[in-house]
């Protein structure tokens, strides 16, 4: 069964799959780098903890 994609940044409608792809392809290490690349977390900032969790998960 395929994992359902999760909407992370509601302000810019950025899904987890987009963030994961950007982190893997660009080697992103910080929430700010993810924001520059995808615009996630750049409006209200409420999703920045979720972005950090994804970074932690992928960059262990």
């Amino acid at each position: 069964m395929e994992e359902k994609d999760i909407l992370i940044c509601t302000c810019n409608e950025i899904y987890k799959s987009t963030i994961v792809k950007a982190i893997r392809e660009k080697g992103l290490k910080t929430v700010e780098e993810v924001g520059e690349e995808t615009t996630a977390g750049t409006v209200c900032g409420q999703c920045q903890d979720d972005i950090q969790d994804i970074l932690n998960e992928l960059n262990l």
Side-chain angles (χ1 to χ4, degrees):
M1 181 179 221
E2 201 170 302
E3 185 178 332
K4 187 176 178 183
D5 208 357
I6 301 168
L7 182 62
I8 300 295
C9 177
T10 55
C11 296
N12 292 324
E13 292 188 31
I14 307 297
Y15 283 84
K16 182 177 180 178
S17 63
T18 301
I19 294 170
V20 168
K21 183 178 177 189
I23 291 169
R24 288 187 172 150
E25 289 182 356
K26 308 283 183 176
L28 307 177
K29 301 289 184 201
T30 67
V31 172
E32 291 76 19
E33 289 176 339
V34 172
E36 289 172 13
E37 193 64 34
T38 67
T39 71
T42 60
V43 178
C44 75
Q46 281 194 319
C47 62
Q48 290 184 351
D49 288 343
D50 294 332
I51 296 169
Q52 185 62 57
D53 288 344
I54 296 169
L55 281 163
N56 293 343
E57 184 179 308
L58 295 176
N59 291 324
L60 288 177

